[in-house]
Amino acid sequence: PTSQSSRHLRRALLCSPLNARPSTSSARMAENVLGALADLQEESKPEPKEGTNEAVSSVIKVETPNATSVLFCGSADFAAAAKGASGKAQQKKDGANGEEFRAPVIIASLNDKKVRYLSVGPSAGHIVALTGEGTYAWGLNGNGQLGLGAKGGYVHPGPVRAKLWDVDGDTPIAVAAGNRHTLVLYASGTILSCGAGERAQLGLGHKGAALNDQNKPQKVPIEAKVACIAAGHDYSLCADEGGALYSWGWSEYGKLGTGTDGSYNTRDSSIKITYTATDISKIPMEGKIIQVSAGKHHAACLTD
């Protein structure tokens, strides 16, 4: 078979009406086309090389009750611990493998909500959702990162209405979840933060009481109108509407982009090295920053 015939077969499949009821002959034709296409795909597969593994992908069909259903998969150990022994048994019954959901499950308590933004960070044990009915959060809360006004090892694994994120006359438009801290950006360009603060990741300062955990959202003191935010393991990023870049938090690995990793020897040892809790820094950059992105210990930004 030629590549041209392959294109013709694909076109025939794409142009077939999805809801039409096939006749016996058309069904047989479709079956033949599918078989031929499968043969073409099989023939076009490269020969596996010795010592290499082929990537495996699959499509999982999930029926959702509405267009904005929230799906979850992966590790759920933080949720299981909150449920206790009986909850853990129910979790397994619902389809989890131990403390993992290996296929997507629907967060049913949000089915009647219009979810417009969802965030979970690269090392976060919590999730925050912005809905038309307010902000919801769930997962780990040992440092107050859910913004509920209290902190504890766990909260209810299902979404909790986090009313302290509500601001009169303003609307939350984006969320960034770090390992143990949370940032929320509002339409006004204001950022609120809460959670762990010992590495200055909240943007509230880098000394003394400014490094305390915050279980209630606090305003990050940036004068400019912020356009985008990101949160890594223990640091934060943002860019204002003029395209200026800001970073704050733990300096290790040089991820703040300040030109240094902030390492220094501690007083009690000439060998032991630690890093610096860094206040908000405006990073000189060429071009206008239009997006910021934070990995666990590395950062990236996009310029216009």
Side-chain angles (χ1 to χ4, degrees), residues 253-274:
Y253 304 107
K255 60 202 174 200
L256 299 183
T258 57
T260 176
D261 67 358
S263 61
Y264 64 94
N265 291 336
T266 59
R267 290 181 181 179
D268 58 344
S269 170
S270 60
I271 299 176
K272 187 177 181 181
I273 293 178
T274 189

Side-chain angles (χ1 to χ4, degrees), residues 17-170:
L18 294 177
N19 297 320
R21 184 182 297 276
S23 64
T24 303
S25 58
S26 62
R28 188 177 299 112
M29 181 186 299
E31 187 174 309
N32 291 337
V33 170
L34 286 169
L37 181 56
D39 290 339
L40 283 172
Q41 291 173 336
E42 186 65 28
E43 290 178 10
S44 66
K45 288 175 64 176
E47 289 294 326
K49 296 180 180 180
E50 187 174 351
T52 62
N53 293 322
E54 292 186 355
V56 178
S57 62
S58 61
V59 176
I60 299 173
K61 183 179 179 181
V62 180
E63 294 184 2
T64 58
N66 55 54
T68 60
S69 296
V70 176
L71 305 180
F72 178 90
C73 62
S75 174
D77 54 344
F78 61 88
K83 292 178 179 179
S86 61
K88 205 175 249 190
Q90 183 63 42
Q91 178 177 294
K92 290 183 179 181
K93 183 179 178 181
D94 290 344
N97 293 279
E99 294 180 346
E100 297 177 354
F101 286 94
R102 298 182 183 178
V105 293
I106 297 172
I107 307 297
S109 58
L110 290 177
N111 283 347
D112 61 342
K113 308 292 188 298
K114 179 71 174 178
V115 178
R116 46 191 174 79
Y117 201 99
L118 187 70
S119 180
V120 57
S123 58
H126 64 293
I127 303 174
V128 181
L130 304 181
T131 80
E133 293 78 21
T135 301
Y136 287 79
W138 64 103
L140 292 180
N141 192 43
N143 299 90
Q145 57 263 50
L146 299 187
L148 301 177
K151 62 182 181 180
Y154 300 96
V155 300
H156 191 281
V160 178
R161 177 72 171 89
K163 296 181 179 180
L164 293 178
W165 293 108
D166 296 350
V167 176
D168 289 342
D170 213 346

Side-chain angles (χ1 to χ4, degrees), residues 210-272:
L211 300 179
N212 291 342
D213 290 358
Q214 300 292 332
N215 52 46
K216 296 180 180 179
Q218 306 292 323
K219 183 179 179 180
V220 177
I222 295 177
E223 297 298 327
K225 183 177 180 180
V226 175
C228 56
I229 57 175
H233 184 82
D234 48 13
Y235 71 103
S236 303
L237 305 169
C238 76
D240 65 29
E241 62 179 357
L245 175 66
Y246 303 81
S247 67
W248 60 94
W250 197 237
S251 63
E252 190 176 6
Y253 304 107
K255 60 202 174 200
L256 299 183
T258 57
T260 176
D261 67 358
S263 61
Y264 64 94
N265 291 336
T266 59
R267 290 181 181 179
D268 58 344
S269 170
S270 60
I271 299 176
K272 187 177 181 181

